[in-house]
């Protein structure tokens, strides 16, 4: 917590700089919200992300306007959130959410070596759908050249989490209104086959039993 940007001003008991805790969140998440400024204009870009070692991996089209800014090394702030539940308390004021969240600061570095790009593209697909790369054609040279791959070091970050029941004021504890948590889960539906797919191949296990 030596960086002033990650020092909590309220509820410090919910905030940590635990790398393993950050990894557990980043490894479950599919989407990162990447915030940065282009001139005076702030943008927040939702992007697929994957953690590889001590880096968060991002990718996009070389032609992408905002991704080009990231590749130039502008300062970014990335937010990754897993929503675990809605907390219903006795008083409107105490309603809350249970969540696990990471905020990460730094500058992305573009990866240009084709071999490393191929490895990171593989890792990104495997992060999103584990097992998929064994079944799918890997990117060719032209596709890799058209893809920008960025790594953002996981160095300056904070983890914030909330779990458990509502925390109501003593004056409300005698209230008989229902209170507690509504857990929220991300649930995959049944896979829908592409109608253009020739033949009738079996749905792979990683699609049939997709879980997050
Ligand atoms: C869940 C999710 C995952 C994504 N993953 C990736 C990824 O891994 N890599 C990637 O490159 N892109 C991803 N995208 C798309 C990404 O958010 C951008 O749209 C894309 O990168 C194009 O950026 P650009 O700078 O070229 O957009 P431009 O077309 O130059 O943006 C121009 C304007 O279009 C609007 N716009 C752009 N993107 C969005 C958006 N997502 N939502 C609403 N308005 C928008 C904004 O007003 C923006 O100022 C993802 C989007 C979602 C929702």
């Amino acid at each position: 917590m030596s960086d002033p940007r990650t020092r909590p001003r309220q509820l410090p008991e919910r905030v940590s700089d635990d790398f393993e805790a950050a990894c557990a969140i980043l490894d479950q998440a599919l989407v990162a919200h990447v915030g940065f400024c282009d001139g005076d204009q702030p943008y927040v870009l939702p992007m697929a992300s994957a953690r590889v070692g001590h880096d968060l991996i991002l990718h996009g089209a070389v032609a992408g306007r905002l991704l080009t800014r990231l590749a130039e090394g502008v300062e970014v702030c990335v937010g990754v959130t897993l929503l675990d539940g809605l907390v219903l308390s006795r008083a409107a004021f105490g309603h809350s959410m249970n969540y696990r969240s990471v905020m990460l600061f730094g500058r992305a570095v573009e990866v240009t070596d084709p071999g490393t790009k191929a490895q990171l593209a593989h890792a990104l697909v495997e992060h999103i759908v584990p097992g998929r790369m064994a079944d799918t054609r890997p990117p060719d040279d032209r596709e890799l050249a058209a893809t920008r791959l960025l790594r953002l070091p996981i160095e300056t970050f904070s983890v914030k989490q909330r779990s458990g029941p509502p925390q109501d004021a003593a004056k409300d504890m005698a209230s008989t209104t229902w209170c507690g948590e509504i857990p929220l889960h991300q649930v995959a539906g049944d896979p829908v086959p592409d109608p253009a797919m020739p033949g009738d191949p079996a749905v792979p296990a990683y699609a049939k039993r997709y879980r997050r």
Side-chain angles (χ1 to χ4, degrees), residues 126 128-136 188 191 203-211:
E126 281 293 308
I128 295 168
V129 186
R132 183 61 181 165
M133 279 308 287
D135 281 352
T136 194
V203 181
Y206 54 74
K208 217 183 312 189
R209 289 192 276 279
Y210 189 82
R211 291 192 59 173

Coordinates of all heavy atoms in Angstrom, one line a residue, residues 126 128-136 188 191 203-211:
E126 N -7.7 -19.8 -23.6 CA -7.8 -20.8 -22.5 C -8.3 -20.3 -21.2 O -9.0 -21.0 -20.5 CB -6.4 -21.5 -22.3 CG -6.1 -22.5 -23.3 CD -7.0 -23.7 -23.3 OE1 -7.2 -24.3 -22.2 OE2 -7.6 -24.1 -24.4
I128 N -10.6 -18.0 -21.1 CA -12.0 -17.7 -21.2 C -12.8 -19.0 -21.4 O -13.8 -19.2 -20.7 CB -12.3 -16.8 -22.4 CG1 -11.6 -15.4 -22.1 CG2 -13.8 -16.6 -22.7 CD1 -11.5 -14.5 -23.3
V129 N -12.3 -19.9 -22.2 CA -12.9 -21.3 -22.3 C -11.8 -22.3 -22.2 O -11.2 -22.7 -23.2 CB -13.6 -21.4 -23.7 CG1 -14.4 -22.7 -23.7 CG2 -14.5 -20.3 -24.0
P130 N -11.5 -22.8 -21.0 CA -10.5 -23.8 -20.8 C -10.7 -25.0 -21.6 O -11.9 -25.5 -21.6 CB -10.6 -24.1 -19.3 CG -11.2 -22.9 -18.7 CD -12.2 -22.4 -19.7
G131 N -9.7 -25.5 -22.4 CA -9.8 -26.6 -23.2 C -10.1 -26.3 -24.7 O -9.9 -27.2 -25.6
R132 N -10.4 -25.1 -25.0 CA -10.8 -24.7 -26.3 C -9.7 -24.8 -27.3 O -9.9 -25.1 -28.5 CB -11.4 -23.3 -26.3 CG -12.0 -22.9 -27.7 CD -13.1 -23.8 -28.2 NE -13.6 -23.4 -29.5 CZ -14.3 -24.2 -30.3 NH1 -14.7 -25.4 -29.9 NH2 -14.7 -23.7 -31.4
M133 N -8.4 -24.4 -26.9 CA -7.3 -24.3 -27.9 C -7.0 -25.7 -28.5 O -6.4 -25.7 -29.6 CB -6.1 -23.7 -27.2 CG -6.2 -22.2 -27.2 SD -6.5 -21.3 -28.7 CE -5.0 -21.5 -29.6
A134 N -7.3 -26.8 -27.8 CA -7.0 -28.1 -28.4 C -7.9 -28.4 -29.6 O -7.6 -29.2 -30.4 CB -7.3 -29.2 -27.3
D135 N -9.0 -27.6 -29.7 CA -10.0 -27.9 -30.8 C -10.0 -26.9 -31.9 O -10.6 -27.1 -32.9 CB -11.4 -27.9 -30.2 CG -11.8 -29.2 -29.5 OD1 -11.0 -30.1 -29.6 OD2 -12.9 -29.2 -28.9
T136 N -9.4 -25.7 -31.7 CA -9.5 -24.6 -32.6 C -8.2 -24.3 -33.3 O -7.2 -24.6 -32.8 CB -10.1 -23.4 -31.8 OG1 -10.5 -22.4 -32.7 CG2 -9.0 -22.7 -31.0
A188 N -23.8 -20.4 -17.0 CA -23.9 -20.6 -18.4 C -25.1 -21.4 -18.8 O -25.6 -22.3 -18.1 CB -22.6 -21.5 -18.8
P191 N -25.4 -24.7 -24.5 CA -24.7 -24.3 -25.8 C -25.7 -24.3 -27.0 O -26.5 -25.2 -27.1 CB -23.6 -25.3 -26.0 CG -23.4 -25.9 -24.6 CD -24.7 -25.9 -23.9
V203 N -21.2 -31.8 -28.8 CA -20.9 -30.6 -28.0 C -19.7 -30.9 -27.1 O -19.9 -31.9 -26.3 CB -22.1 -30.0 -27.2 CG1 -21.7 -28.8 -26.4 CG2 -23.3 -29.8 -28.1
P204 N -18.6 -30.2 -27.2 CA -17.5 -30.6 -26.3 C -17.8 -30.4 -24.8 O -18.7 -29.5 -24.5 CB -16.4 -29.7 -26.7 CG -17.0 -28.7 -27.6 CD -18.3 -29.1 -28.1
A205 N -17.2 -31.2 -24.0 CA -17.5 -31.1 -22.5 C -17.3 -29.7 -22.0 O -18.0 -29.2 -21.1 CB -16.6 -32.1 -21.8
Y206 N -16.2 -29.0 -22.5 CA -15.9 -27.7 -21.9 C -17.0 -26.7 -22.2 O -17.2 -25.6 -21.6 CB -14.6 -27.1 -22.4 CG -14.4 -27.1 -23.9 CD1 -15.0 -26.2 -24.7 CD2 -13.6 -28.1 -24.5 CE1 -14.8 -26.2 -26.1 CE2 -13.4 -28.1 -25.9 CZ -14.0 -27.1 -26.6 OH -13.9 -27.1 -28.0
A207 N -17.8 -26.9 -23.3 CA -19.0 -26.1 -23.6 C -20.2 -26.5 -22.9 O -21.0 -25.7 -22.4 CB -19.2 -26.0 -25.1
K208 N -20.4 -27.8 -22.8 CA -21.6 -28.4 -22.2 C -21.6 -28.1 -20.7 O -22.6 -27.8 -20.1 CB -21.6 -29.9 -22.4 CG -23.0 -30.4 -22.6 CD -23.1 -31.9 -22.7 CE -22.1 -32.6 -23.7 NZ -22.4 -34.0 -23.9
R209 N -20.4 -28.1 -20.1 CA -20.3 -27.9 -18.6 C -19.6 -26.7 -18.3 O -18.8 -26.7 -17.3 CB -19.7 -29.2 -18.0 CG -20.6 -30.4 -18.1 CD -20.0 -31.5 -17.2 NE -19.0 -32.3 -17.9 CZ -19.3 -33.3 -18.8 NH1 -20.5 -33.6 -19.0 NH2 -18.3 -33.9 -19.4
Y210 N -19.8 -25.6 -19.1 CA -19.0 -24.4 -18.8 C -19.4 -23.8 -17.5 O -20.6 -23.7 -17.1 CB -19.3 -23.3 -19.9 CG -18.4 -22.1 -19.8 CD1 -17.1 -22.2 -20.3 CD2 -18.8 -21.0 -19.1 CE1 -16.3 -21.1 -20.1 CE2 -18.0 -19.9 -19.0 CZ -16.7 -20.0 -19.5 OH -15.8 -18.9 -19.3
R211 N -18.4 -23.5 -16.7 CA -18.7 -22.9 -15.4 C -17.7 -21.8 -15.1 O -16.6 -21.8 -15.6 CB -18.5 -23.9 -14.2 CG -19.6 -25.0 -14.2 CD -19.5 -25.8 -13.0 NE -19.7 -24.9 -11.8 CZ -19.8 -25.3 -10.6 NH1 -19.8 -26.6 -10.3 NH2 -20.0 -24.4 -9.6

